[in-house]
Amino acid sequence: MTVSKVTGQRFTFVRPSALPGFGITLGFATTYLSLIVLLPLVVLVWRASALGLDGIWKVATTPRVMAALEVSFMTSALAALLNAFFGTLVAWVLVRYDFPGRRLLDAAVDLPFALPTAVAGIALAALYAPNGWIGALFAPWGIKIAFTPLGIFIALVFIGLPFVVRTVQPVLQDFEREVEEASATLGATRLQTVFRVVLPALVPALVTGVALAFARAVGEYGSVIFIAGNIPFVSEIAPLLIVTRLEEFDYAGASAIAVVMLTISFVALLIINSVQALSRRRYEGA
Amino acid sequence: MRKASQLGDVTDMTDTTFDFSGKPIAITAEGLAKSFLGVVAVNGIDLQVKPGELMALLGPSGSGKTTLLRLFAGLETPTAGRILFGDEDATHLPVRERRVGFMFQHYALFKHMSVAENVAYGLHVRPRRLRPSGAEIRKRAEDLLELVQLPGLGKRYPAQLSGGQRQRVALARALAVEPRVLLLDEPFGALDAQVRRDLRRWLRELHDRTGHTTLFVTHDQEEALELADRVAILNRGRLEQLGGADDILDHPATPFVAGFVGDAVRLSVSVEAGWISLGRGKVPAPFQFPAGPAELFIRPYDLTLAHSTGHGTFTGKVVGTRRVGSARRAELILEDGLPSVEVTLPLEHAVLKGEELHLNLLTMRLFPAR
């Protein structure tokens, strides 16, 4: 082999490691991922390909689909951002303070995970409808929450919260008290310590949490359709449009919308991940 | 630029333009006490670190030394007593207004900031009217990194540094705020032996140059005695003794100090009519020492060989020998039932197991038994 003559060692795909089992675990992981994740996606693309790139483009650019995509991605992004703020706040309170009922509150954070989304949707719709408890407060001001994009936004905030809390919480838990004390001895005020020292350390975890909340929100169906009102061009989300197409037996059209959603989501997650890789590099000192 | 990561450079001091003007001040604890939920950590301590002094707080774990240091820094609030910085009552001064340079045992560097940002942090967080300009802050950070022998490493992140380098970054960061006193918690605790020795000498030189009033906590007695001007020995929240290395080693104030510092062996003996019975012999007790049970502390270098039995000598049976550096140590049993003591012997003096040696006691550390 020419390679071995030049470098004196054979090219190997895997560098020797003290941890055995690379071959078998990688093999298992790729097989598993292929079966569970990649295969369905391939079928999806294959279904959509019946239309051709042209056809997909045509479906995706119809005004109604465009409007639905915009509603889906905009509300998801805004909901994820709001969760970034409130999720961090909830995590902060749960980690930093000891108060009666803390464990109960801690457990309650997971409820949006556990609740069937349709149940959540019905409950939210009841609350925020113009005659509901909260909706009634806003109705006199002419503000409608349920059956508008605002309602979608609230449903997505609800289902996304645990993602942010649960990713930020452990990092905050492990944050060394001494680092904050160091900041104080150096003359920083409490606010400066929080904003310059604590929050920056949470950024990588926060980005992960926001990405998860966003991804989940984009795909959310159950809770949204009950509160959204599903008015075309106003409060109709893309997943609903897909379901509608399926009910009309327009499998190719449904797949086409799905492929577009998939592509946008994938690009968005890729961007978030690379932002995160950049910020993480500092900590690990690569 | 010199490579600062080499250990050889650590002790080599170069001149920098950094100015440490500002007169060092004394820090004083008056009847200082602190308890945590009823557990007493610091139990009424009176202590003064003189201006420009380098003092060590030495004690076993749980003796309250770190708590005392944190009380001085304002990281804990005392349950009783006062803290003075110079003449100013600093007991209730908030941490951030105390202007102390505090170095944590594990350094507590800001991981997401570069080394230069870490050092400059204390200047960046100043109120606008007291904050130097950006260029000035950068210059100061560079100068400080030079002072701690880490020039040119400003762009690195803490994760990319060795333990010794991190320690020096932490010190530079503490010095950046022009502290009135330096408080160091186990400054060498997390480093290996070789780096420790080098940094110890380096810290002493840095202290002599910058002249800060410095208080550091350690559990390593060798470190405390070698580095500090005076050592405060703490036990169970109380100050047992305060003094220089000679005082503490030769004139321990309490049985605790006698037993804690140096490799002392504690023997329970009895004093009768001015004599201490010791094995098959008698040693004169100090003048007017009360009769009754007493505790005698013996270190290897307290004993010498006597050529024959006689006045003030006693004998011991050799049960083992070992080589310690340039000397030999023999382990002796004075009397069945008593713990063995050690004696330092010259190298050429070979001894055999079971041999009987005649000994004299050079110095006396005797306390009435409680």
Side-chain angles (χ1 to χ4, degrees), chain B residues 308-358:
Chain B
S308 61
T309 6
H311 191 74
T313 65
F314 52 98
T315 56
K317 195 179 191 182
V318 177
V319 290
T321 62
R322 61 191 173 100
R323 173 73 185 266
V324 181
S326 59
R328 197 181 294 286
R329 278 199 188 163
E331 200 183 327
L332 303 163
I333 296 275
L334 303 182
E335 195 179 309
D336 289 338
L338 282 183
S340 60
V341 296
E342 289 196 326
V343 58
T344 308
L345 299 174
L347 265 191
E348 60 274 14
H349 189 116
V351 285
L352 295 171
K353 259 191 189 175
E355 197 177 329
E356 290 243 314
L357 295 178
H358 302 290

Side-chain angles (χ1 to χ4, degrees), chain A residues 5-18:
Chain A
K5 270 177 201 159
V6 178
T7 61
Q9 67 183 68
R10 236 158 51 96
F11 169 79
T12 49
F13 180 61
V14 190
R15 269 181 296 171
S17 152

Side-chain angles (χ1 to χ4, degrees), chain B residues 16-64:
Chain B
T16 58
T17 53
F18 208 78
D19 176 34
F20 287 98
S21 49
K23 248 176 106 185
I25 57 165
I27 52 172
T28 314
E30 285 178 358
L32 202 61
K34 172 71 182 176
S35 38
F36 297 98
L37 301 169
V39 181
V40 178
V42 170
N43 193 359
I45 284 186
D46 293 291
L47 177 76
Q48 182 172 63
V49 192
K50 294 180 201 152
E53 187 179 25
L54 180 58
M55 186 189 281
L57 286 175
L58 176 66
S61 47
S63 60

Side-chain angles (χ1 to χ4, degrees), chain A residues 197-219:
Chain A
V197 174
V198 184
L199 289 183
L202 300 182
V203 165
L206 188 59
V207 171
T208 304
V210 168
L212 287 172
F214 172 74
R216 170 70 200 272
V218 167

Side-chain angles (χ1 to χ4, degrees), chain A residues 176-190 192-193 196-198 200-201 282-286, chain B residues 70 75 95-96 100 102 104-113 121-122 124-126 157 159-160 173-174 177:
Chain A
E176 290 171 81
R177 179 116 218 132
E178 288 193 345
V179 175
E180 282 171 72
E181 289 177 345
S183 171
T185 61
L186 292 167
T189 61
R190 190 66 196 139
Q192 283 172 320
T193 300
R196 283 169 173 265
V197 174
V198 184
R282 292 177 166 189
Y283 292 85
E284 271 122 51
Chain B
R70 290 171 60 87
L75 294 169
V95 192
R96 59 189 210 86
V100 294
F102 197 99
F104 292 85
Q105 186 177 359
H106 300 289
Y107 317 135
L109 294 177
F110 307 132
K111 293 194 191 87
H112 63 284
M113 294 185 203
Y121 181 82
H124 273 300
V125 295
R126 281 192 185 170
Y157 283 88
Q160 299 167 310
R173 183 178 70 174
V177 294

Side-chain angles (χ1 to χ4, degrees), chain B residues 141-154:
Chain B
E142 271 168 38
D143 286 351
L144 277 161
L145 285 175
E146 186 113 345
L147 181 79
V148 298
Q149 315 277 319
L150 294 172
L153 291 191

